Amino acid sequence: MAKVTAHAGGPPNGVVPTDPKDQVSWRERFAALGNLPAFFRLVWEVSPALFLGNAALRLVRAAIPAATLYVGKLIIDHVVTLSKTGGQGDTEYLWWLVGAEFGLAILSTALGRAVSLMDSLLGDLFANRTSVRLMEHAASLDLEQFEDATFYDKLERARRQTTGRTVLLSGVFGQVQELISVGFLAAGLAVYNPWLLLLILLAVTPSFIGDNYFNQRSYSLSRSWTPERRELDYLRYVGASDETAKEVKIFGLSDFLIDRFRTLSWEYFLKNRSLAISRAGWGTLLSALGTAGYYGAYVWIVMRAVSGQISLGDLTFLAGSFRQVRGSLEGILLQFSSLTQEAIYLQDLFDYFAIKPLIHSPKTSRPFPKPIREGFVFEGVGFKYTNSERWALRNLSFTLQAGEKLALVGENGAGKTTLVKLLARLYDPAEGRILLDGYDLREYDLMELRRNIGVIFQDYTRFKMTAGVNIAVGDIDERTNQPRIETSAQRSLADTVIAKLTGGYDQQLGRSFNKGVELSGGEWQKVALARAYMRDAQLIILDEPTAALDARAEYEVFQRFAKLTEGKSSVIISHRFSTVRMADRILVLENGTLLEIGSHYELLEKSGRYAELFGLQARGYQ
């Protein structure tokens, strides 16, 4: 997530540096076409019937332009013949030709609409299928990868490829359709004069070169501005969201956010405007050259008709064929440029799918102990975040015994939350190892490990879903188990919150959707706590679980928690020593290292950091 600062994520003075990696060479463009087979496999998997139907209809439609022009030539020649005889002749044949041309026009329109329909259906199905794959892949990736800005750029570009990518499909099919059409028309032109085909190629080449150049510039600009576009999306969200509205109003952030958005969006507009103006100017000039070539050939055809070397029908056929071949070739070449452009964009999607998680289950995993007999052991564990020189944890060694309640104490940034994320194997240690019943956590199946650990983080998610689902996310497979949901709510005191809701457990929470209601911070926290009780976990971790609760509610929550976790291991992170002292042992962290460990009374007798912090908090209540 981009920072909102005076120049957060944006280039100084609106200047976008030219990054060589954002420039695309011809070799890279042709290499990008190698993405098409994988892309077509994705589309084929969506619907083989629609895929084949689309291809078949386009094939039939490709022959219609040449057939229409040829029938038109026959009509004109026959009209000329009839006019010379005063209308005496085979008029039935004339009306048959007119009917045939009418039929071809109707067929072309029907096929065009059918193709558009299939494109639309394939587009919707492909967008849905790709979005599901994107979410599935995201679920397989590591938490640490989501905390990397470079990864987020790739994810953002991949998201943009989930919709509209069937433009590439219709483009490729369209290319084939146009090539077949050009083949029919070119055959007719070649009968009269093969040099016309060479003239057409010369006429369309300038526009092709120009469009290819500006397509490359457009891609480079779009790619280099990915972080800034993400920031613009973020600013739009922060500036108009129910979740941020309080702070925006209280702190008067509206003008700041609007000014930042206006500045960054204007910089992007200026870059786009400059490119668009250049493209329009050069495009007009280069198209004029192609038009001049077309009219040169047209003059030659007219002169042959005037001299009697070809009929009036031939003139119509040749002029129409030349115009359509020129337009089709120009479209094919320009479409090829756009196609390579789309194929390059498609690479963003495949680049995202190519990202592999570093944390995964072993090929042969050890069965998870049920019950845990010895507990967890940290042996010289160290960890630091990507792009950080500071160790979040270092040389950490201790034991969390089976059935023990352990509290973590330390100032902000001491490494408490990092420690519990290592326990849940959201991260792997950079140094040392973590053992469970004598074996490295890496030897256990990852999903089974996490199924046996229930974690409620301080920054838990407030899902804009029903109250029941918000509790059931603790064990989503049990979302239809209403008795279990209600029991979990009772254990966390969330049942008193839900009893006040009009819709009960079916009440929509959050005001983002119709008839949704918002809860207070303490009420949300009780709902989140219920998630921990939904899961039949052997280790329960609560990270600042009662920060939004009043003293009485907090005391009752932890009295219940102590009873409900008997025989289970638990880890509690809290700044309130009234809560901490209930633990069997307390581990004190400072700058990522273990400073003290022991029971509440043992640590008070040591008169160390814990005793100091406890005394400071106690004096605050006097």
Side-chain angles (χ1 to χ4, degrees), residues 5-43:
T5 58
H7 290 286
N13 303 320
V15 178
V16 181
T18 301
D19 192 331
K21 73 175 182 294
D22 294 326
Q23 304 300 315
V24 185
S25 66
W26 267 104
R27 178 177 297 179
E28 290 172 315
R29 284 180 170 275
F30 280 106
L33 295 178
N35 294 323
L36 294 181
F39 170 72
F40 284 131
R41 281 196 295 272
L42 289 177
V43 180

Side-chain angles (χ1 to χ4, degrees), residues 481-507:
N481 190 339
Q482 190 63 25
R484 187 166 177 176
I485 292 174
E486 293 179 7
T487 300
S488 300
Q490 291 167 6
R491 290 175 174 179
S492 72
L493 302 180
D495 60 328
T496 59
V497 176
I498 294 171
K500 301 175 185 177
L501 301 176
T502 304
Y505 288 91
D506 294 324
Q507 177 66 57

Side-chain angles (χ1 to χ4, degrees), residues 171 174-175 178-179 181-182 185 197-212 215 279 282-295 321-339:
Q175 288 274 59
E178 288 294 328
L179 282 171
S181 294
V182 166
L185 295 170
L197 299 179
L198 179 60
L199 182 59
I200 292 173
L201 287 175
L202 292 176
V204 300
T205 299
S207 291
F208 167 68
I209 294 174
D211 272 273
N212 174 71
N215 279 339
R279 184 170 199 156
W282 282 102
T284 301
L285 176 61
L286 296 174
S287 293
L289 293 176
T291 302
Y294 163 71
Y295 275 96
S321 295
F322 191 89
R323 181 176 62 254
Q324 286 205 28
V325 169
R326 178 229 172 186
S328 295
L329 278 180
E330 192 173 62
I332 288 170
L333 292 176
L334 295 181
Q335 185 69 13
F336 176 78
S337 180
S338 297
L339 191 148

Side-chain angles (χ1 to χ4, degrees), residues 474-552:
D475 188 353
I476 198 62
D477 291 337
E478 295 293 323
R479 60 187 177 276
T480 58
N481 190 339
Q482 190 63 25
R484 187 166 177 176
I485 292 174
E486 293 179 7
T487 300
S488 300
Q490 291 167 6
R491 290 175 174 179
S492 72
L493 302 180
D495 60 328
T496 59
V497 176
I498 294 171
K500 301 175 185 177
L501 301 176
T502 304
Y505 288 91
D506 294 324
Q507 177 66 57
Q508 178 76 36
L509 300 185
R511 294 198 178 95
S512 297
F513 300 105
N514 190 33
K515 296 183 180 179
V517 299
E518 189 57 78
L519 303 181
S520 69
E523 289 172 332
W524 267 113
Q525 202 147 33
K526 290 176 182 178
V527 170
L529 278 168
R531 298 170 187 169
Y533 296 119
M534 274 295 295
R535 179 166 295 197
D536 186 21
Q538 297 195 64
L539 170 63
I540 298 179
I541 301 172
L542 302 182
D543 183 356
E544 289 288 347
T546 58
L549 299 181
D550 56 55
R552 182 185 297 276

